[in-house]
Structure formats: C-alpha cells, structure tokens
Amino acid sequence: SSLVKIEGADGAHVQSASISVPLSRTPIERLGSRFPFSRDVDFPVSCTFSVSAVVSTTQAANLVTILDLGKVDADIMIKDSTTADAIQYRMKGLKIDSQSFSSSIGSNKTVDLTFSTQIGGPKDTANGIFMSGIGFNSVFP
C-alpha cells in the first residue's frame, strides 16, 4: 500500500485534518447485579479521516485509477515548539469515501477529502488508527 503524508503533501496546503473514532459500547449484564458488569466496545469500529486543503497545483487523474488504489495509509505529524516530532497519528487501511473541489473567482481552490477505515478488534494491526508520542515532563506528581 502507498503512504500519504499530510506533512508536506505535494500540491496542497493542508488547512485542517480531523479524525473521528466513535466507540459505541454494549452493557454486559449478569445475575445478581442491578448494574452492568462491563461495557464492551462494539467491533468493528468505523473511523473517518477528513482533510481540507488549499490546492496549489492540479494534476489530471482518472477516477478508476483513484478508486483502484485500494487501501492507503496516512500519517499526521504534530511538532513541538522546537519543530521536533512530538505526536504521530498513523491511519492504516484507509479507503477514499469522497473528494470534492471548490473554486470561485478570486479565491483559492480547495479540496476536501474523506477516508474511512474499520478497526476489526483489539489485535487488529493492519487497519485502524494508531498514536505515538514523546513526553518529557510528568503530568502527575
């Protein structure tokens, strides 16, 4: 699969990116208790990743080629005040859901992309959203 890097994306100036991971949970009941024993996550979890960018260059592409890409991966890097990498979000197994362009006289062309992936379970490492980061100071005393 190919790797789409949000940081330094060619031909686009990313304005915003958002990740949505709705975790619905089912209460598990047991005899002898009025309250749920546990609330397990309902799998598969459908996650979405949306990007909005200002287009600086355009390139012709065939719709069939775009749809035939299959699953792609994407990284979002968040930098600290010294421009060193601080947090990385990696989305694996993304499929494109929608792509829209907007253009008007006198303003920049913008593109909005929406991708989705599913997390199959707690041990699914081929699909889903992964986060890693670095910390220097303890948050709690």
Side-chain angles (χ1 to χ4, degrees), residues 24-109:
S24 62
R25 302 170 76 88
T26 301
I28 306 296
E29 307 285 340
R30 71 176 178 182
L31 291 174
S33 176
R34 294 180 359 173
F35 302 104
F37 171 69
S38 71
R39 293 185 183 267
D40 294 341
V41 175
D42 297 331
F43 288 104
V45 175
S46 296
C47 308
T48 59
F49 170 55
S50 300
V51 178
S52 180
V54 174
V55 178
S56 60
T57 59
T58 57
Q59 181 177 10
N62 189 342
L63 180 61
V64 173
T65 306
I66 293 171
L67 296 175
D68 275 348
L69 284 176
K71 296 181 177 181
V72 296
D73 296 342
D75 287 342
I76 295 177
M77 300 296 296
I78 298 176
K79 309 264 185 195
D80 65 9
S81 60
T82 65
T83 68
D85 293 343
I87 300 172
Q88 176 184 17
Y89 292 95
R90 174 164 284 174
M91 281 95 21
K92 291 184 174 183
L94 293 170
K95 291 195 76 95
I96 191 160
D97 288 334
S98 68
Q99 172 180 324
S100 64
F101 289 93
S102 65
S103 178
S104 61
I105 297 173
S107 67
N108 294 323
K109 290 182 183 177

